[in-house]
Amino acid sequence: MTTSLLSTADDLHARARAGRRAVVMTMGALHEGHATLVRTAREIAGPDGEVVVTVFVNPLQFGAGEDLDRYPRTLDADVKLAEQAGADVVFAPSVDEVYPGGEPQVRITAGPMGERLEGGSRPGHFDGMLTVVAKLLHLTRPDVALFGQKDAQQLALIRRMVRDLNFGVEIVAVPTVREDDGLALSSRNRYLSATGRRTALALSQALFAGRDRHAAQEALRARAREVPATHARAEALSALGESRAAADAHAVAKAVPGAAAAVRAAARLVLDEAARMDPPLRLDYLALVDPVDFTEIGDDFTGEAVLAVAARVGTTRLIDNLPLTFGAAS
């Protein structure tokens, strides 16, 4: 299969299509994370469907002092990777094709969620992101669009936009792809020096530490739910030497039902150590949030959550996250 390279929406719309069209939106500089998105899109579209990969470096989502000019542009390599992963089309429009009248006067606003975390660190970023995603959805007319879980806040905002503004498209999340050492794949990883990369590993290591603490807390809570709070049962456990364990489990479950504070503390310890490395890690934020609105969760929270981190190593800014599930308290 040969992948077509198109630059105008008219050329894309002129293609005959029988099955579903699945779209993967990128800013180029494709890597294995993008390839995973394309392969997943291929599975969803099926043999009769069509997979379109967009390559567009969107100027609206780069703030002052950010890396628009030095953002890598590797279109030839991008087309090759997309083809190997199963894409039918690479749609690489010019800025004039996407914004024919110059910078748009009417834009999509991300609202309160867009001002938190990434939005707080990068004012206006999510307004620009949502505006271009909306335009690319109109230009490509997909049945389904796929986005990576690594950009969890972006994913949440796109889902909210699609729901709030009645876009007729299905949004599919694809898990984060990591390198062997745990670092989340990113086009910006290429900017890291060898020593900077060692420091950058603290992002994923902090998330894994938080995940491990979460697992331990959840195990204690599960143990507590299994132990009836009756005198006879307590005596039986005491005879087996387990009363202290049972009591500890009950205490943990009652004191910190969601263990959110413990998860944050475990992750923060790793990041604090990385701040003393050479080069140092400069933390933007560490947050444990509800993925519906990206507000911080409390210790009584139950359900799906996201542990998210953003930091700079030298001049390179990186983000990462892990989904966690907090069980219901007994």
Side-chain angles (χ1 to χ4, degrees):
M1 180 188 70
T2 301
T3 297
S4 299
L5 176 61
L6 305 178
S7 60
T8 71
D10 286 343
D11 288 341
L12 182 61
H13 297 163
R15 287 177 59 88
R17 48 183 293 201
R20 303 177 80 199
R21 175 178 284 171
V23 166
V24 174
M25 297 185 188
T26 83
M27 292 206 300
L30 303 189
H31 49 64
E32 180 58 27
H34 297 109
T36 299
L37 285 165
V38 177
R39 287 192 291 267
T40 305
R42 182 77 271 162
E43 293 174 3
I44 290 173
D48 297 328
E50 183 180 58
V51 174
V52 177
V53 176
T54 70
V55 175
F56 180 68
V57 181
N58 178 34
L60 295 190
Q61 62 196 79
F62 287 81
E66 293 190 330
D67 55 358
L68 173 61
D69 291 337
R70 73 174 187 134
Y71 195 87
R73 291 160 171 83
T74 57
L75 184 58
D76 290 343
D78 293 343
V79 173
K80 183 176 180 180
L81 184 147
E83 182 172 274
Q84 292 172 342
D88 298 291
V89 177
V90 169
F91 177 54
S94 65
V95 173
D96 288 339
E97 177 74 10
V98 178
Y99 302 119
E103 287 199 9
Q105 297 298 302
V106 177
R107 308 188 187 194
I108 291 178
T109 301
M113 189 181 2
E115 298 172 359
R116 300 176 186 130
L117 300 188
E118 282 297 289
S121 297
R122 306 175 66 189
H125 165 72
F126 284 127
D127 292 356
M129 179 276 294
L130 289 178
T131 299
V132 79
V133 168
K135 288 183 72 71
L136 288 172
L137 287 174
H138 290 313
L139 290 171
T140 60
R141 302 175 184 174
D143 300 289
V144 57
L146 296 88
F147 297 90
Q149 177 65 38
K150 187 176 82 72
D151 297 294
Q153 193 171 3
Q154 169 181 286
L155 173 64
L157 282 162
I158 291 170
R159 281 177 162 159
R160 187 66 190 236
M161 176 185 73
V162 165
R163 182 171 69 250
D164 286 355
L165 301 183
N166 300 102
F167 279 73
V169 61
E170 176 187 358
I171 303 298
V172 172
V174 177
T176 301
V177 178
R178 300 185 179 278
E179 299 194 39
D180 290 342
D181 57 10
L183 188 68
L185 284 175
S186 169
S187 301
R188 291 187 169 93
N189 290 352
R190 67 187 68 195
Y191 300 147
L192 294 168
S193 65
T195 54
R197 185 184 175 88
R198 286 196 291 271
T199 299
L201 289 176
L203 274 77
S204 57
Q205 290 168 350
L207 296 178
F208 298 155
R211 178 192 61 191
D212 292 346
R213 179 63 61 86
H214 166 263
Q217 296 288 344
E218 287 293 312
L220 280 173
R221 295 175 64 243
R223 176 73 176 273
R225 289 195 296 270
E226 294 172 357
V227 181
T230 66
H231 181 69
R233 180 62 170 163
E235 288 183 344
L237 285 170
S238 181
L240 295 172
E242 295 185 9
S243 58
R244 180 58 183 273
D248 287 347
H250 275 300
V252 168
K254 186 174 181 180
V256 283
V263 170
R264 291 188 186 96
R268 187 61 187 251
L269 185 62
V270 176
L271 297 169
D272 287 346
E273 291 176 356
R276 296 187 287 272
M277 295 178 71
D278 182 21
L281 181 142
R282 292 175 291 153
L283 183 66
D284 277 4
Y285 62 76
L286 170 69
L288 184 54
V289 298
D290 184 336
V292 173
D293 57 9
F294 270 68
T295 56
E296 292 280 353
I297 67 169
D299 281 329
D300 59 349
F301 180 86
T302 60
E304 299 295 321
V306 173
L307 180 61
V309 63
R312 293 182 184 274
V313 178
T315 59
T316 303
R317 186 175 185 277
L318 301 170
I319 64 172
D320 202 351
N321 72 85
L322 276 180
L324 300 174
T325 303
F326 291 84
S330 57

